[in-house]
Amino acid sequence: MRFISGFIDTYLNLNSAEEQIFQEQLNTIELEQREQIMQITTSWQLKGRIEGQVNTVMRQLNRKLGNLPEEDVSAIQSLEPSQLELLAEELLDFQSLDDLNQWLNEQ
C-alpha cells in the first residue's frame, strides 16, 4: 500500500508524456492489481476535488464576509460535496455572517 501511495503521489499530476508512461506501466501489471491501483487513484482524485471545492468556497466567503470564525470553517470543511456545491451558489446571496450561520444551521 505504501508503494502504491508513493506511486500515486509521484504521478498524480501527469503531463501528456507522463500519462503515456503511466498507461504503459499500468498495462504491464496484472488485471486484479491494476483495478486496485485505479480504485485508489480514483478515491484520491475525489478527495482532491473536494478539497479544491472547500478552498474555493472559503476564499469566496472570506472575500465576501471577512475572516470566518473557526467554528464556521470547521462546519464548512465537514460538509458533503453536494452541500458544498449548494453553498457555493447560496453564498452569492449572503449579506452577513448571520446569513452563513443560518444556512449552516439548516444543514
Side-chain angles (χ1 to χ4, degrees):
M1 188 62 107
R2 237 180 272 162
F3 170 75
I4 293 171
S5 295
F7 183 83
I8 291 171
D9 282 343
T10 301
Y11 292 102
L12 194 56
N13 295 317
L14 304 178
N15 62 36
S16 59
E18 292 169 332
E19 178 69 30
Q20 182 179 0
I21 293 169
F22 175 75
Q23 289 301 323
E24 289 171 2
Q25 292 294 319
L26 194 58
N27 290 334
T28 65
I29 299 173
E30 292 180 28
L31 182 60
E32 185 177 317
Q33 289 177 326
R34 187 179 330 156
E35 289 173 353
Q36 291 173 348
I37 290 170
M38 295 312 292
Q39 185 176 17
I40 292 169
T41 302
T42 302
S43 68
W44 284 25
Q45 288 172 336
L46 176 60
K47 183 180 177 188
R49 277 190 238 124
I50 292 169
E51 288 175 3
Q53 262 185 313
V54 169
N55 289 338
T56 299
V57 167
M58 291 303 302
R59 283 194 324 270
Q60 291 171 329
L61 285 168
N62 284 326
R63 182 170 178 178
K64 184 159 186 129
L65 304 176
N67 289 334
L68 302 179
E70 188 59 39
E71 63 188 31
D72 290 341
V73 172
S74 295
I76 292 165
Q77 290 173 335
S78 67
L79 293 174
E80 296 293 322
S82 60
Q83 293 172 308
L84 282 170
E85 288 179 22
L86 183 58
L87 178 57
E89 293 176 15
E90 295 291 325
L91 70 82
L92 298 172
D93 296 326
F94 293 170
Q95 298 300 317
S96 69
L97 194 54
D98 290 335
D99 295 332
L100 171 63
N101 287 319
Q102 181 179 352
W103 188 90
L104 288 171
N105 288 332
E106 292 172 0
Q107 304 306 304

